[in-house]
Amino acid sequence: MKERLEQIKAEALKQIEASDALEKLNEVRVNFLGKKGELTAVMKGMKDIAPEDRPKFGQLVNETRAEIERVLETSVKKMERSVREAKLKKEVIDVTLPAKKNNVGHRHPNTIALEEVERIFIGMGYEVVEGPEVERDYYNFEALNIPADHPAKDEQDTFYISGDILLRTQTSSTQVHEMEKGKLPIRMIAPGRVFRSDEVDATHSPSFHQIEGLVIDRNITFADLKGTLAQFAKELFGEDTKVKFRPHHFPFTEPSAEMDVTCFKCGGTGCRFCKGEGWIEILGCGMVHPHVLEMSGIDPEQYTGFAFGVGLERIALLKYEIDDMRLLYENDIRFLKQF
Ligand code: DAH
């Protein structure tokens, strides 16, 4: 029996020695010390031993068990330590590495320009409103004095959803929505996206943005239009900016004009930026046509008004001296970050 115990111990220690993982050490524990293990089996043979030898035998079994346990425990501790060390080594953090850059978003030049325009008009007591991008022919054309056979319709060739429903070609449609509300006076600007079936080039895009303006009250005259837009130009392009109105035609205003501002690069003497003109065209405007007022239920004998429409991209391009509109839509972060 004594030899058998020696044998078991030797075999256990050999297996412990050969174990290269915690699971293996656990297997050794189960195989030798467990309920169905070798030592338990030996204990079961106790009944075949003479009663007087039993205490001695029991002690021997206990000593063997203790010895195996001790060696096993030491090996487990050693194994655990080396596993932990390997793990730490793998997870080591090099604090001298350059930090990951946190890319914070940036406002688009269009957004910066729009907020500037909104700030100016809100300062003059205007309300900022929005209209639908998907529009009825009536709001985009008919109610703005552009009947079905009007040539202005060709100039603004658009995307039709059905015969009567289209993507708006101009924010002027918001004028009609505001007038139809029947609340006077009106002092509003309406920024938004517009759509035209145009080829993409440096100055055109099938989708761009406009800011519409509309003022309707008693006794509004062209002088109000002029003063307001001159003030707008000064705030947007600088105190020294002068404005000039050239007669033009828009179906929904009468009289109509285009407004130029003195080139803010050369101050009006002519340079590469204004193509030697000294002036830069900036917006369309005019006194709201009496027929337009009438169609939306406003009495032109009581009320008059002025309107204007300005291209948002045009302002952004001018203000930030960007020479190609396509850059505004490419969303190249290296470009956008500059503004
Ligand atoms: N809707 C015109 C366009 O897209 C711009 C415009 C001109 C708007 C004169 C107006 C205006 O309100 O009075 O070309």
Side-chain angles (χ1 to χ4, degrees):
M1 267 308 173
K2 199 169 171 208
E3 296 85 71
R4 176 78 190 114
L5 284 173
E6 285 296 328
Q7 245 179 26
I8 290 174
K9 190 166 99 182
E11 183 56 27
L13 297 188
K14 204 174 104 192
Q15 288 191 20
I16 291 170
E17 181 77 24
S19 296
D20 55 3
L22 282 168
E23 299 79 58
K24 294 240 172 86
L25 288 174
N26 198 42
E27 266 171 38
V28 176
R29 181 191 302 281
V30 171
N31 288 344
F32 288 91
L33 310 177
K35 264 192 201 151
K36 289 178 183 158
E38 301 270 357
L39 277 182
T40 314
V42 173
M43 282 296 268
K44 279 183 183 148
M46 184 94 102
K47 58 184 187 311
D48 302 329
I49 291 174
E52 62 273 25
D53 291 339
R54 282 182 193 168
K56 181 115 182 61
F57 177 71
Q59 194 191 345
L60 237 117
V61 172
N62 282 343
E63 275 170 18
T64 307
R65 170 183 292 276
E67 176 65 5
I68 296 174
E69 258 170 6
R70 192 184 59 75
V71 176
L72 199 60
E73 219 37 59
T74 316
S75 293
V76 166
K77 285 225 171 81
K78 229 170 92 186
M79 190 80 72
E80 280 175 349
R81 200 176 320 121
S82 71
V83 166
R84 195 167 53 238
E85 269 164 19
K87 200 170 160 216
L88 283 176
K89 224 177 196 161
K90 233 172 66 186
E91 291 176 354
V92 81
I93 294 168
D94 183 351
V95 292
T96 66
L97 279 174
K100 262 195 203 152
K101 243 195 166 157
N102 193 8
N103 277 325
V104 177
H106 188 281
R107 283 187 309 160
H108 191 279
N110 270 356
T111 309
I112 306 174
L114 175 59
E115 286 177 358
E116 178 69 5
V117 173
E118 287 182 345
R119 187 191 63 73
I120 295 169
F121 280 103
I122 288 169
M124 293 196 259
Y126 283 59
E127 191 187 349
V128 180
V129 303
E130 272 182 39
E133 291 174 3
V134 179
E135 206 36 293
R136 291 196 176 279
D137 182 285
Y138 176 79
Y139 289 93
N140 196 82
F141 293 121
E142 197 81 24
L144 291 164
N145 233 2
I146 309 172
D149 56 359
H150 198 287
K153 253 183 133 161
D154 292 340
E155 282 167 30
Q156 298 191 2
D157 202 10
T158 187
F159 301 105
Y160 283 87
I161 288 172
S162 69
D164 182 44
I165 298 172
L166 46 84
L167 298 183
R168 68 177 175 193
T169 63
Q170 47 186 358
T171 46
S172 302
S173 51
T174 54
Q175 291 188 26
V176 183
H177 288 289
E178 282 309 296
M179 289 189 289
E180 280 187 350
K181 285 182 186 165
K183 262 176 49 197
L184 293 171
I186 294 170
R187 224 183 280 129
M188 67 96 179
I189 57 165
R193 189 186 284 270
V194 298
F195 306 84
R196 290 183 195 181
S197 168
D198 280 340
E199 296 288 338
V200 175
D201 66 25
T203 54
H204 291 88
S205 160
S207 158
F208 57 102
H209 300 79
Q210 290 185 329
I211 305 165
E212 194 74 16
L214 177 69
V215 172
I216 296 176
D217 203 348
R218 292 177 198 277
N219 304 317
I220 297 290
T221 69
F222 203 96
D224 296 306
L225 177 156
K226 214 177 149 185
T228 303
L229 295 179
Q231 182 59 26
F232 166 60
K234 278 182 200 290
E235 290 200 40
L236 192 62
F237 295 114
E239 195 49 39
D240 297 331
T241 308
K242 292 190 183 61
V243 295
K244 166 172 97 174
F245 293 85
R246 278 180 292 102
H248 200 79
H249 170 76
F250 295 107
F252 38 90
T253 44
E254 181 59 36
S256 305
E258 279 187 330
M259 184 177 92
D260 297 347
V261 296
T262 42
C263 175
F264 44 87
K265 271 249 127 163
C266 63
T269 53
C271 67
R272 195 186 59 84
F273 197 71
C274 57
K275 300 190 182 78
E277 298 279 330
W279 296 93
I280 297 170
E281 182 202 321
I282 205 83
L283 55 77
C285 58
M287 300 305 291
V288 182
H289 197 293
H291 189 221
V292 169
L293 291 174
E294 230 163 34
M295 277 188 283
S296 288
I298 296 171
D299 181 357
E301 297 298 328
Q302 303 272 337
Y303 287 93
T304 49
F306 68 85
F308 55 92
V310 38
L312 178 59
E313 278 80 357
R314 182 153 177 77
I315 289 185
L317 297 181
L318 285 172
K319 236 180 127 57
Y320 306 116
E321 296 179 30
I322 301 164
D323 58 10
D324 192 327
M325 190 168 170
R326 286 168 287 200
L327 289 164
L328 290 176
Y329 303 121
E330 281 168 1
N331 283 337
D332 185 330
I333 191 74
R334 292 166 302 179
F335 167 75
L336 294 175
K337 264 200 320 220
Q338 300 173 70
F339 307 99

